[in-house]
Amino acid sequence: MRLSSILIIAGTFATAGLACLFTAGFAVTMIEENSEIEVRRALDDQGLTWAEVHADGLQVFLTGTAQSEASRFLAVSSAGTVVDAARVIDHMDVAASKGITPPRFSIEILRNDSGISLIGLVPAASKRDDILDRLKDIGGDENIVDLLETADYPLPDGWETAIGFGLEALEDLPRSKISIDAERVEITAMVDRAETKRNLELALARATPRGLDLVLDISAPLPVITPFSLRFVIDESGPRFDNCSADSEAARDRIIAAARAAGVTGQTSCTIGLGVPSPKWARAAELSIAALDTIGNGSVTFADADISLVADENTDPGLFDETIGELETALPDVFTVHAVLPQPAEPDDSGPREFVATLSPEGLVQMRGRVSDELVRQTIISFARARFGSDAVHNAARVDDSLPPEWTVRVLAGIEALSKLSNGAVTVSSDRIAIKGNTGDSEARSMISRLLSEKLGEAARFEIDVTYQEELDPVAALPTPEECAEQIEAIQAERKISFEPGSDTIDTGARETLDEIADILKECGPIHLEIAGHTDSQGREVMNQQLSQARAQSVLNGLRERRVLTSTFSAVGYGETQPIADNDTEEGREANRRIEFRIASPETTEEMGIPPLIIEQDINADPETETDDTASQDEDTPDDTN
């Protein structure tokens, strides 16, 4: 019995111990699970889903990779709001911080009569002194204010190209603001004339490096038109403007709409300018164009507020009188109309009373017909020589003392009008002046119309048949870079440029070829040209690179000596790194010794996929002197034939 009691007591204690142990384990598990659940919920509420939670007893372990130190601290703090902060064990990592993003580098250049100012942020590696030196060259004595800040970051791709282009543009724009970054150049400027604006826009667009965005806002003041003029003609060729002026865009639209109602088709325009005699100019033009349309053939010419309407000689007199009467009644105040219905000319058996001057495409002028006396003939010859050159004028006009008094003025006006053309002819007769030809000036027709109206009066009859041809325009007719490349390629197909052995001195015999290339480049305008030097693989690589660089620079210097504008050119020596043939043969080595002219963008031609224009030059001046021993020449000794 005694032993049985002891066993019962021991069993009871053992059972109680097991129960306590089980209860304690269950409690710990519940605490761990609840801690994990509550901490994870708190982290999720903060958006910290990257954090992992693991509880071990009373301790809560946080793991995972935080995006920043702040995120890691927020995770620890969030867990500390659920459980005792002392129980939170931080085993989290922090992602490596990214490098600081470089700032946006840009320069804003302001230029006016007070000087040049620079403001912006540039890389520390930027050639700041070179920029200032270039501005001094551009501005001369102008005051230069440098407010640039620097940051120590690498140069962005295209930075130096954009800076160079912006400074080139600044040279031609004395009143401008130019904003430059690595990818974009914005130019806001004011020029004196509309023609200058057009020429600058064309030149800058052509010179823009590939990959660089150009934004242009070039303005020009409205021209002062004197006299403020308009001339509308209806003849066998159809209705058209010989000249059109308007004081606003709204007035221009109204005048063009009136012309289209009279039958004008195709593209037409009016010059917007200052000097209008009345704010009701558009209304007067509309009424006059409509009146001429009603009459039929003829012309209506405005010179300020004076209107001259000249009908065709075959116009019905009744219709003419009725239409002119209605026009005079409807015209706004200030405007007056002078209407002319010509009478048929009497037949003249003595031959045509006319004066004809023709201008050839070569600039030669021939004059024939009639002049009133010998003094007038000499005056006309002198006037023509002043306009076209002393050696360009040939006179065959004869004296006729029966000509009307105004004949001389009409002839001189016709010669001056002819000087506005590239080629053509002017015919002066007793009742009209007819001028016909081609021009490279889009404003020539308007200029001739204003000239004849001013010299001869509003009632004068004249016909203008002038055609604008882009190829005659000195700006628009500039060859494209590709056309320049083709011309240079044609030269190099016949002759090669050579250098003296082992030297960067261009052979005397190659200077004529360089002369021809220079002549082509002068006509091409601003293009981006890379002059690349190459050698074969004989000799040390470093020496070959230096020799190729020196030879490319010699070609660039040769072009400068021939007065070629080379601000958009660069000379680069590639040495032996870009062979085009096998260096194991003499023929291959000779092919590799070359200069390439590349019409290129600022990026490398390989990146942009632009094929080089290769000028295959015989850099070896005396290939026969080379022997097989050259191939075994020690690498430390450069080959003179490179």
Side-chain angles (χ1 to χ4, degrees), residues 202-262:
L202 284 172
L204 289 171
R206 286 173 52 84
T208 304
R210 191 184 298 270
L212 184 67
D213 292 334
L214 174 63
V215 179
L216 288 177
D217 183 11
I218 300 178
S219 59
L222 292 176
V224 177
I225 303 174
T226 179
F228 212 80
S229 55
L230 181 148
R231 178 175 169 83
F232 187 74
V233 178
I234 303 177
D235 57 17
E236 61 274 6
S237 300
R240 67 182 184 278
F241 281 111
D242 278 344
N243 178 28
C244 183
S245 303
D247 58 320
S248 66
E249 292 185 1
R252 177 194 62 192
D253 294 343
R254 290 175 59 184
I255 293 171
I256 292 176
R260 296 201 183 282

Side-chain angles (χ1 to χ4, degrees), residues 556-575:
L556 179 59
N557 293 339
L559 294 174
R560 286 173 177 163
E561 292 170 359
R562 289 159 175 79
R563 299 185 179 275
V564 177
L565 298 178
T566 59
S567 58
T568 55
F569 294 5
S570 61
V572 181
Y574 291 97

Side-chain angles (χ1 to χ4, degrees), residues 276-289:
V276 67
S278 167
K280 297 183 179 180
W281 172 268
R283 178 58 180 164
E286 289 174 328
L287 292 171
S288 301
I289 292 172

Side-chain angles (χ1 to χ4, degrees), residues 96-299:
S97 60
K98 298 180 180 178
I100 300 176
T101 303
R104 177 181 176 270
F105 292 110
S106 64
I107 295 179
E108 188 168 279
I109 305 176
L110 301 176
R111 185 183 181 191
N112 53 34
D113 295 337
S114 301
I116 301 175
S117 300
L118 296 91
I119 188 170
L121 180 67
V122 301
S126 184
K127 298 177 182 178
R128 183 170 179 171
D129 291 340
D130 291 349
I131 296 174
L132 295 176
D133 289 343
R134 180 68 186 280
L135 290 176
K136 291 178 182 177
D137 293 339
I138 293 172
D141 296 332
E142 294 182 16
N143 182 41
I144 298 177
V145 179
D146 179 10
L147 301 177
L148 293 176
E149 300 288 341
T150 59
D152 192 9
Y153 288 90
L155 291 173
D157 292 340
W159 172 259
E160 292 185 341
T161 298
I163 292 294
F165 175 72
L167 293 177
E168 288 174 25
L170 184 71
E171 189 168 359
D172 296 323
L173 298 169
R175 292 179 295 277
S176 60
K177 179 182 76 171
I178 301 180
S179 302
I180 306 170
D181 63 34
E183 299 177 349
R184 183 184 180 93
V185 173
E186 296 184 18
I187 298 176
T188 303
M190 177 175 288
V191 295
D192 296 331
R193 300 170 54 201
E195 182 181 2
T196 304
K197 172 181 180 294
R198 182 176 68 93
N199 293 345
L200 277 172
E201 288 174 340
L202 284 172
L204 289 171
R206 286 173 52 84
T208 304
R210 191 184 298 270
L212 184 67
D213 292 334
L214 174 63
V215 179
L216 288 177
D217 183 11
I218 300 178
S219 59
L222 292 176
V224 177
I225 303 174
T226 179
F228 212 80
S229 55
L230 181 148
R231 178 175 169 83
F232 187 74
V233 178
I234 303 177
D235 57 17
E236 61 274 6
S237 300
R240 67 182 184 278
F241 281 111
D242 278 344
N243 178 28
C244 183
S245 303
D247 58 320
S248 66
E249 292 185 1
R252 177 194 62 192
D253 294 343
R254 290 175 59 184
I255 293 171
I256 292 176
R260 296 201 183 282
V264 171
T265 59
Q267 185 177 1
T268 188
S269 63
C270 280
T271 301
I272 299 177
L274 304 176
V276 67
S278 167
K280 297 183 179 180
W281 172 268
R283 178 58 180 164
E286 289 174 328
L287 292 171
S288 301
I289 292 172
L292 183 63
D293 183 36
T294 301
I295 291 173
N297 290 357
S299 66

